Amino acid sequence: MTAPLNPLNRIRPDVRAMHAYTVQSADGLLKMDAMENPFGLPPHLQAALGQRLGALELNRYPGTRNDDLRAALAQYVGLPEGCALILGNGSDELISLVSLACALPPGADGQRPVVLAPVPGFVMYAMSAQLQGLDFVGVPLTPDFALDEAAMLAAIAQHRPAITYIAYPNNPTATLWDAAVVQRIVDAVAAVGGIAVIDEAYQPFASRTWLDAMRAEPARNSHVLLMRTLSKFGLAGVRLGYLIGPAALVGEIDKVRPPYNVSVLNCEAALFALEHADVFAAQAAELRVQRTRLIAALRAMPGVEHVWDSEANMVLVRVPDAARTFAGMRERKVLVKNVSTMHPLLARCLRLTVGSDSENARMLDALQASI
């Protein structure tokens, strides 16, 4: 009997060579590494939601309630005229769907479609491109984490990307880039026949939205898809993202969406949250207040080299030794994100989630003791 062949050889070589997206264990730690809303539902809303979820027909596939959720989200955001909306299992799935819809085989010249984005940025843009067979081109930000407009325009002209991502605000830098610069980049994407994806995952904490541009100039933004998630709204555990854009373009992306990709539980929880949007809006307002206080405290802290402005529920800081400070904070039972090895521009940087007043105080104490 011949020895069996290794089934791992059937796995794509690039997949075998890559690292899985890992989530740090936070058992016994104050979790300040993932930009989660620290506030839970009030007890009376917990009870009401429990009753709603308990009454669902879990033996049935998702049905028309997903249509109800799309309608509720359209009303919530003020869906621009001529636009449509699709749902995703978090914005991660939507990123994958956009990549999948654009994943043509290599052309006669051997070139594959290109995904382009500023870096450092959200890691899933590059990971999704790789997994769907597209090439990824990262364009470095300036040292102060602004968009390098000239470099972006040159890269778009050279690579003619199928997809260009603009995170608005950006992760992990928490920057909301200049709207005029973004518009010129969006226009350049149109000139090469590409799709611009504006990722507004952190919109509840930002001072503006690209939806306003889509409403004001629909023709100029006819190639723009806008992506949001309810994770930063306050439902990270629900995994619900949504994609907005011109109906014809969204309709093509919708063709590659798996059937029943949003469960009845996720759908009902999202509908419930939208019915109580004022509760979550108050939580976001409190986090914006806490962000201001946190940044002021960080800028007054000896040993912190730099603190960047933020339009998200995170703050990026530079310290003398990120690895040592991260380890020291973990020893003190506070988990933050060490982003110092993600990109050369992030050298010695840590990313801190904005939490409640008590959480921020504990995080600041741990940081001061660990620098």
Side-chain angles (χ1 to χ4, degrees):
M1 182 177 177
T2 59
L5 298 176
N6 186 354
L8 291 178
N9 291 330
R10 293 294 186 179
I11 305 296
R12 286 166 33 186
D14 64 321
V15 172
R16 294 174 66 185
M18 70 188 295
H19 297 285
Y21 189 105
T22 57
V23 178
Q24 300 179 81
S25 173
D27 290 346
L29 305 175
L30 175 61
K31 195 172 190 301
M32 305 294 283
D33 67 322
M35 290 83 72
E36 294 155 323
N37 182 335
F39 306 116
L41 282 173
H44 72 284
L45 291 184
Q46 292 180 22
L49 176 58
Q51 288 184 335
R52 286 264 291 264
L53 298 182
L56 293 175
E57 294 183 317
L58 299 182
N59 55 314
R60 304 293 185 187
Y61 285 113
T64 57
R65 286 299 270 172
N66 280 3
D67 296 332
D68 295 339
L69 177 56
R70 281 192 291 271
L73 283 167
Q75 182 176 12
Y76 173 72
V77 303
L79 189 70
E81 186 176 354
C83 286
L85 182 153
I86 60 173
L87 306 175
N89 187 349
S91 56
D92 294 337
E93 183 184 42
L94 295 169
I95 293 169
S96 295
L97 295 181
V98 175
S99 294
L100 180 60
C102 296
L104 292 168
D109 57 0
Q111 296 298 308
R112 303 191 301 181
V114 167
V115 173
L116 186 143
V119 290
F122 188 36
V123 297
M124 291 305 298
Y125 304 150
M127 185 176 292
S128 175
Q130 176 186 340
L131 292 176
Q132 303 298 346
L134 295 88
D135 290 328
F136 179 78
V137 174
V139 180
L141 299 170
T142 66
D144 60 352
F145 299 127
L147 283 171
D148 189 330
E149 181 179 357
M152 286 289 293
L153 295 178
I156 291 167
Q158 176 184 352
H159 298 286
R160 303 179 66 83
I163 307 164
T164 299
Y165 284 99
I166 300 290
Y168 199 73
N170 187 46
N171 173 18
T173 63
T175 39
L176 186 65
W177 292 310
D178 181 88
V181 174
V182 173
Q183 184 65 72
R184 288 192 288 272
I185 290 169
V186 167
D187 292 343
V189 172
V192 300
I195 296 170
V197 181
I198 308 294
D199 184 351
E200 290 197 342
Y202 300 92
Q203 194 281 325
F205 311 101
S207 59
R208 60 184 185 271
T209 171
W210 201 256
L211 270 178
D212 292 336
M214 294 171 71
R215 292 189 194 99
E217 298 186 275
R220 195 176 186 183
N221 289 276
S222 62
H223 63 302
V224 173
L225 297 171
L226 185 137
M227 188 166 55
R228 287 187 181 177
T229 176
L230 292 187
S231 292
K232 312 312 172 188
F233 182 85
L235 301 180
V238 171
R239 308 305 301 131
L240 199 293
Y242 53 104
L243 185 73
I244 296 168
L249 186 55
V250 169
E252 296 303 319
I253 306 299
D254 196 34
K255 292 177 182 178
V256 300
R257 177 181 56 82
Y260 312 127
N261 65 322
V262 174
S263 79
V264 294
L265 291 166
N266 293 13
C267 177
E268 201 65 35
L271 278 165
F272 183 87
L274 291 173
E275 292 166 14
H276 301 281
D278 57 327
V279 173
F280 294 93
Q283 293 175 353
E286 171 62 17
L287 289 174
R288 292 194 296 270
V289 170
Q290 291 299 330
R291 178 180 66 194
T292 299
R293 295 174 180 171
L294 177 62
I295 289 173
L298 289 165
R299 286 177 171 159
M301 183 178 292
V304 174
E305 295 182 356
H306 192 79
V307 182
W308 279 270
D309 291 336
S310 170
E311 291 247 10
N313 62 335
M314 59 182 138
V315 179
L316 190 72
V317 300
R318 177 163 282 143
V319 295
D321 188 329
R324 184 186 69 196
T325 301
F326 170 81
M329 294 183 73
R330 190 181 180 101
E331 289 173 3
R332 292 167 176 83
K333 306 300 182 184
V334 177
L335 181 65
V336 297
K337 184 73 171 180
N338 181 3
V339 297
S340 63
T341 60
M342 285 178 56
H343 190 274
L345 289 172
L346 293 170
R348 307 192 313 282
C349 286
L350 300 173
R351 187 189 67 195
L352 316 178
T353 297
V354 178
S356 66
D357 184 67
S358 60
E359 288 176 334
N360 291 340
R362 183 176 165 191
M363 179 172 62
L364 288 166
D365 288 344
L367 175 63
Q368 180 66 89
S370 304
I371 291 178

